[in-house]
Amino acid sequence: VFADPPSTVLPSRTLGQKAALERYNAFMEGAGEVLSALESTPVSSQSSSSATARPADGGAPAAAAVRHHKYLTNSSLLHLQLRDGTLRSHVLTQLLVVLKYLAGNHASLPTGPINATPGGDAARLTQQINKGQVKQLAALDRRARDLLRATSGPDAVNLVSWLLKEREAGWKVWKKNRCMPALDRAGPPDVSGRDVRALLLSGRKRKARAAAGGA
């Protein structure tokens, strides 16, 4: 779900409402279990990102003693990773990104086949289900932010909030303006994204010709 929410938990041409709802509910349940596990396991004082602050005596940062269990694959060793502030920050940040995406596309959330009673309003029932889903997403979002604040401090929460709100809005406007101005090339501001793609393509062609000549 972290890698591709649209094709994983949202209805599409290849994923029906019923299957999407099952996956969505499984994701929400799993996200809740992850948050509960983090809430019941306090972050290590040595692995917390806040420990990177330099001591008052001018000594080395306490974070130098952090043990990052990055490559543990045995599930029985997971308890070691739950106390790792870096791991917690990564997981919580990714979860906040997904929750923000799903909340922003709440009209597309799966509701499953609606079988309204005779005389009932199926559209109204769908709206009620959707409102409940939005509340669930908001509740998980609050829990994730509280955990991130406890792990990495308020600055980390503020940064993620700004990125998800301001930068995402700016990105959408930039895409709507056909990638103008180009962000990946130094030059005049009126260079379009199409010009950049053409330049990259010509560079690949030159490399291919050079490789063929060398062979």
Side-chain angles (χ1 to χ4, degrees):
V1 178
F2 282 1
D4 190 7
S7 64
T8 309
V9 296
L10 296 183
S12 63
R13 293 181 179 179
T14 58
L15 189 63
Q17 278 281 348
K18 183 177 180 180
L21 181 60
E22 291 176 352
R23 293 187 180 185
Y24 175 82
N25 289 337
F27 164 73
M28 294 294 288
E29 182 180 357
E33 291 176 353
V34 169
L35 292 177
S36 296
L38 295 178
E39 289 167 345
S40 63
T41 309
V43 65
S44 170
S45 60
Q46 288 188 333
S47 63
S48 174
S49 297
S50 60
T52 58
R54 186 172 294 275
D57 60 2
V66 174
R67 288 170 34 189
H68 298 294
H69 306 282
K70 181 177 180 181
Y71 301 105
L72 295 183
T73 57
N74 191 323
S75 58
S76 63
L77 300 178
L78 182 60
H79 65 282
L80 295 176
Q81 293 177 292
L82 291 179
R83 296 182 180 276
D84 189 329
T86 301
L87 174 75
R88 293 167 70 103
S89 296
H90 285 311
V91 172
L92 292 169
T93 300
Q94 288 292 331
L95 180 58
L96 286 171
V97 171
V98 174
L99 294 175
K100 173 69 174 179
Y101 175 83
L102 294 176
N105 293 272
H106 61 86
S108 301
L109 294 178
T111 56
I114 302 298
N115 298 319
T117 58
D121 190 342
R124 185 176 181 179
L125 181 57
T126 301
Q127 291 178 353
Q128 292 176 346
I129 295 175
N130 193 251
K131 287 182 179 179
Q133 292 173 322
V134 172
K135 290 181 179 179
Q136 291 176 339
L137 290 170
L140 289 181
D141 183 273
R142 286 192 297 270
R143 292 172 64 188
R145 289 175 187 272
D146 289 343
L147 282 167
L148 183 60
R149 185 178 295 106
T151 301
S152 304
D155 289 343
V157 179
N158 294 336
L159 176 60
V160 172
S161 299
W162 177 76
L163 288 172
L164 294 179
K165 184 178 179 180
E166 303 295 338
R167 289 294 298 270
E168 181 67 14
W171 172 260
K172 290 181 179 179
V173 172
W174 181 72
K175 294 290 286 185
K176 187 176 181 180
N177 292 334
R178 298 184 178 182
C179 304
M180 290 284 292
L183 303 180
D184 50 0
R185 174 184 175 186
D190 58 345
V191 177
S192 68
R194 183 176 300 175
D195 295 333
V196 173
R197 289 193 293 272
L199 181 65
L200 293 174
L201 181 60
S202 64
R204 295 192 187 100
K205 290 181 178 179
R206 285 196 301 270
K207 289 183 180 179
R209 287 196 298 267

